[in-house]
Amino acid sequence: MQNSRGRRRAVGPPSAPPVAEVVAADRPRDPQRDARRRRGPFRQITDFAAASGIGQKAGVALAAAGLVLTVTVPATGSVMATPLPGQTALAASVAQPEISAEAAAKIDFSRSSVVTLGDPDGKLKQLLSAQSVGSITRAASAGTLGAPLAHLVTASPFGYRVSPITGGSGDFHRGQDFVAQCGTSVLAAASGTVTFAGWHQFGGGNRIVVDHGNGLETTYNHLSSFNVKVGQTVSRGEVVALSGTTGASTGCHLHFEVQVNGEVVDPMGWL
Ligand SMILES: [Zn+2]
């Protein structure tokens, strides 16, 4: 009897491989689930595939085949990532998300999907095209914009501070101030199109706005002179202006802003 049981254990089939658990273990936290739900089914499947570690291309392939992608997430599993405070575990609220796409869904394999680390603008375009710019995490965006000056030294960070103009507290600083003597070359943070080059009546002085597409813009303020005109295409690292102290400024420096869908965000999350 013992031999028989022992042999069965030795040659018996292994238990089912924990495929779903492996997928679940690799899944990053996903704070944009609700936003994604409002998107179309094709976008959902590619986003979900990318977020779940299956890989976007695999998700696209499944969508193209008209298959329904069903991912089973164990309600309780020792390998589930622990949700951060304030977050709900994905498995608890969406045990079996079922998302599908039409077999005839148009798939665009743009060139931007094939990039290398040596192509920073391609990397940025890929990031911006892969998901809504508002849902991009700081971990993903960090390093995707180039420095607007050859040497970056922060003079005043983004966020709430004591106003250097009024001395009042609770001043919200909409950009990052970098040390720059007047006349220092100001560089485009990425390729894009100049959408504004003129006087900013709300304190920016001479200001340039570069649109990088997909809701991402950078602005360069207090400039002494412009090297570009509205409508001009600029490349990453191109000198777009010289720094100055025009507008609401207490001295020569560069006030650099990053805007996502028209809202300023911490530039250091992108540099
Ligand atoms: Zn500033």
Side-chain angles (χ1 to χ4, degrees):
M1 293 293 278
Q2 281 184 339
N3 284 346
S4 177
R5 278 200 302 275
R7 191 156 50 243
R8 276 203 300 274
R9 276 200 300 273
V11 302
S15 57
V19 174
E21 292 186 2
V22 171
V23 171
D26 290 338
R27 178 182 292 106
R29 64 190 182 88
D30 185 6
Q32 295 300 320
R33 179 166 48 82
D34 288 337
R36 193 179 60 252
R37 277 175 158 175
R38 291 191 290 272
R39 296 183 205 139
F42 180 70
R43 187 63 180 270
Q44 284 185 16
I45 198 170
T46 54
D47 283 3
F48 189 91
S52 63
I54 295 171
Q56 190 166 10
K57 283 182 179 174
V60 168
L62 287 169
L67 300 176
V68 173
L69 174 64
T70 302
V71 178
T72 304
V73 180
T76 57
S78 59
V79 295
M80 283 292 291
T82 304
L84 297 174
Q87 284 193 312
T88 305
L90 186 62
S93 54
V94 189
Q96 284 198 317
E98 188 171 277
I99 46 184
S100 63
E102 295 295 323
K106 186 173 182 294
I107 300 168
D108 178 19
F109 286 106
S110 63
R111 282 188 63 225
S112 65
S113 65
V114 183
V115 297
T116 67
L117 292 177
D119 177 13
D121 280 309
K123 185 182 175 191
L124 177 62
K125 281 190 171 62
Q126 183 181 42
L127 176 70
L128 295 175
S129 62
Q131 58 186 310
S132 164
V133 67
S135 68
I136 295 171
T137 64
R138 190 182 179 109
S141 64
T144 55
L145 287 180
L149 295 167
H151 302 287
L152 283 189
V153 177
T154 294
S156 182
F158 174 86
Y160 286 100
R161 65 173 184 178
V162 173
S163 171
I165 304 292
T166 68
S169 60
D171 177 47
F172 186 76
H173 187 218
R174 295 171 54 84
Q176 189 91 358
D177 287 350
F178 293 112
V179 174
Q181 292 185 346
C182 287
T184 303
S185 293
V186 174
L187 316 174
S191 65
T193 304
V194 177
T195 55
F196 184 84
W199 185 259
H200 183 242
Q201 55 185 320
F202 303 109
N206 288 326
R207 167 180 168 105
I208 285 176
V209 178
V210 178
D211 184 356
H212 305 291
N214 292 71
L216 181 68
E217 296 170 295
T218 53
T219 84
Y220 313 78
N221 303 268
H222 310 312
L223 307 169
S224 60
S225 64
F226 301 128
N227 286 31
V228 294
K229 289 181 271 190
V230 171
Q232 185 173 334
T233 300
V234 297
S235 54
R236 177 180 295 242
E238 184 174 336
V239 178
V240 294
L242 298 181
S243 64
T245 183
T246 54
S249 172
T250 55
C252 298
H253 74 284
L254 176 68
H255 172 97
F256 174 68
E257 295 174 345
V258 177
Q259 297 192 358
V260 169
N261 292 331
E263 302 288 333
V264 292
V265 298
D266 185 355
M268 300 314 287
W270 290 79
L271 291 173

